[in-house]
Amino acid sequence: MHKNQPTRRLSIYLLAGVFVPAAATQEAAAQQLASGPSFVESFDTLDTSFWYISDGWSNGDHQNCTWSKGQVKAQSGNLTLGFAKAATGERDYACGEVQTRQRYGYGTYEVRMRAATGSGLNSAFFSYIGPTDKKPHDEIDFEVLGKNTSEVQVNQYVSAKGGNEKLIPVAGGADKSFNDYAFIWEPDRIRYLVNSKMVHEVTDKSKIPSNAQKIFLSLWGSDTFADWMGPFAYQGPASMTIERVAFTAGGDDCQFPESVLCTLD
């Protein structure tokens, strides 16, 4: 189940002719962007009023599977997203994805997960908004690529412009045990953390998204992205397991003991 946490917000009034300091203006923008409240999701069940299950389509020709609610299961404190051979629509495979119904802005995004094993697969935790929601394509990513599961790729898109990829080592392998991934999104920087250690920082404001986004968890495959994800070779059903996902709005206290915000300076 997910637990919404109280959010501290400021009431900002901009009156004509009243001087507003730059810091206050930035704070107002941050508060406006953070449209969803803090929450911690432990997946005892899957609340479909909070989570939307992708079902019945794919994201394009590059994807060799159809999103299927049959590949999404929540039980015993874990969310499992599957990938399996199952003719669905125009695809020979079925795969799993969930996304929040609400949008979230500046704050800390955290997941504890074990990636799937298999060349040609992509286990992803990311935020995204785009034309379907009548917004520019903004995105912040953690992706474990089946080509090499000893690494995780981080990336951002701003108005559909990416090219900010960086590969980060994951000790012991992202598909062998659970690991903690987090990004802290602020108006002037993004910090990426793996197992509570900061591994990458972005301070170029042209590379920092500015639109509130939905939170996604997905497992999918591709026959065409061999250079990026590895040659696809089906070896039987695969799964990605998520133990916890959380969002802490900017200005809120850490929401659970293992949160990076509880120990971050």
Side-chain angles (χ1 to χ4, degrees), residues 208-259:
I208 298 175
S210 58
N211 289 287
Q213 301 168 46
K214 297 176 183 177
I215 299 170
F216 287 72
L217 296 156
S218 67
L219 173 62
W220 58 281
S222 177
D223 298 318
T224 60
F225 285 160
D227 289 345
W228 181 43
M229 292 165 48
F232 179 78
Y234 186 67
Q235 301 294 324
S239 63
M240 166 187 176
T241 306
I242 301 98
E243 190 174 281
R244 179 182 58 243
V245 62
F247 168 74
T248 306
D252 281 9
D253 294 331
C254 67
Q255 305 297 311
F256 57 99
E258 300 84 2
S259 171

Side-chain angles (χ1 to χ4, degrees), residues 20-38:
V20 180
T25 303
Q26 185 181 62
E27 179 68 17
Q31 294 299 329
Q32 183 179 13
L33 190 60
S35 54
S38 299

Side-chain angles (χ1 to χ4, degrees), residues 11-238:
S11 295
I12 306 291
Y13 296 93
L14 301 178
L15 302 176
V18 176
F19 171 71
V20 180
T25 303
Q26 185 181 62
E27 179 68 17
Q31 294 299 329
Q32 183 179 13
L33 190 60
S35 54
S38 299
F39 72 87
V40 180
E41 173 65 87
S42 56
F43 293 115
D44 295 319
T45 60
L46 189 63
D47 181 355
T48 53
S49 68
F50 185 84
W51 294 100
Y52 178 82
I53 302 174
S54 301
D55 184 62
W57 74 91
S58 69
N59 287 359
D61 293 341
H62 64 277
Q63 185 175 318
N64 67 4
C65 57
T66 300
W67 301 126
S68 170
K69 62 184 179 182
Q71 297 300 318
V72 177
K73 296 180 175 63
Q75 58 186 18
S76 304
N78 286 325
L79 174 69
T80 302
L81 303 179
F83 183 98
K85 190 172 183 62
T88 309
E90 298 178 351
R91 305 288 192 271
D92 293 330
Y93 302 94
C95 49
E97 177 182 75
V98 297
Q99 54 183 281
T100 57
R101 293 184 181 273
Q102 279 194 291
R103 304 175 192 183
Y104 299 87
Y106 299 129
T108 301
Y109 297 68
E110 302 180 75
V111 71
R112 181 168 176 79
M113 74 181 201
R114 182 178 62 225
T117 300
S119 182
L121 298 181
N122 184 315
S123 303
F125 166 62
F126 62 103
S127 59
Y128 168 83
I129 201 72
T132 301
D133 292 297
K134 299 181 180 179
K135 289 288 186 180
H137 173 184
D138 278 6
E139 185 173 343
I140 306 173
D141 296 320
F142 273 105
E143 295 174 284
V144 177
L145 310 174
K147 179 180 181 179
N148 183 357
T149 54
S150 67
E151 299 175 322
V152 63
Q153 178 182 283
V154 300
N155 193 16
Q156 315 91 236
Y157 287 82
V158 177
S159 295
K161 183 178 180 180
N164 303 302
E165 297 89 349
K166 184 176 177 64
L167 291 168
I168 308 298
V170 180
D175 61 336
K176 303 304 181 187
S177 61
F178 283 92
N179 290 276
D180 295 296
Y181 306 93
F183 62 86
I184 304 174
W185 176 22
E186 299 169 282
D188 57 356
R189 66 174 172 170
I190 298 174
R191 287 173 283 172
Y192 292 95
L193 300 95
V194 175
N195 293 324
S196 300
K197 179 181 178 182
M198 193 171 80
V199 293
H200 185 48
E201 184 176 29
V202 179
T203 56
D204 182 344
K205 294 190 73 171
S206 70
K207 298 180 179 180
I208 298 175
S210 58
N211 289 287
Q213 301 168 46
K214 297 176 183 177
I215 299 170
F216 287 72
L217 296 156
S218 67
L219 173 62
W220 58 281
S222 177
D223 298 318
T224 60
F225 285 160
D227 289 345
W228 181 43
M229 292 165 48
F232 179 78
Y234 186 67
Q235 301 294 324

